[in-house]
Amino acid sequence: MLLIVGALFGAFWRIWGLIREASGKGEQAQTDLAAHKLHVAEHYVSKQGHREATDQVMEAIGAVKTAVEGTNLRIDRMWESHGKPAPRARQ
């Protein structure tokens, strides 16, 4: 009987030690998680900031597209004017 009680007490004591060890690791994990969250907040952009930057880039691309289309129209007009013979003055 004493042997069984001793074995149960030893098992309990072992489990209790594992629980303490795990709780210590949990505190370390929380500290690591807090440090990671701080790093992300300092070095990465928010969704709103990303959206604003994307909108600015898209507006710039639209402006470039408009400029290229205008250039294409001017080139087309230039070719059209060169394709027609110049009117000759009558003498």
Side-chain angles (χ1 to χ4, degrees):
M1 182 79 148
L2 187 59
L3 185 63
I4 294 173
V5 171
L8 289 175
F9 183 74
F12 173 78
W13 196 252
R14 173 79 175 145
I15 291 172
W16 188 261
L18 291 173
I19 291 171
R20 272 200 226 155
E21 184 179 327
S23 69
K25 287 181 182 178
E27 292 171 3
Q28 180 64 32
Q30 288 178 352
T31 305
D32 290 345
L33 179 62
H36 177 69
K37 284 182 178 181
L38 180 62
H39 172 76
V40 168
E42 289 175 343
H43 293 94
Y44 294 94
V45 67
S46 67
K47 285 184 181 180
Q48 182 62 30
H50 183 266
R51 191 172 297 122
E52 290 173 2
T54 303
D55 289 343
Q56 290 175 354
V57 169
M58 294 306 291
E59 288 174 10
I61 290 172
V64 169
K65 179 184 174 202
T66 303
V68 168
E69 287 173 351
T71 304
N72 288 342
L73 290 174
R74 283 185 263 156
I75 291 172
D76 290 344
R77 285 190 208 128
M78 182 179 74
W79 282 108
E80 288 171 359
S81 67
H82 285 296
K84 295 179 183 176
R88 293 184 181 199
R90 291 187 182 179
Q91 294 182 5

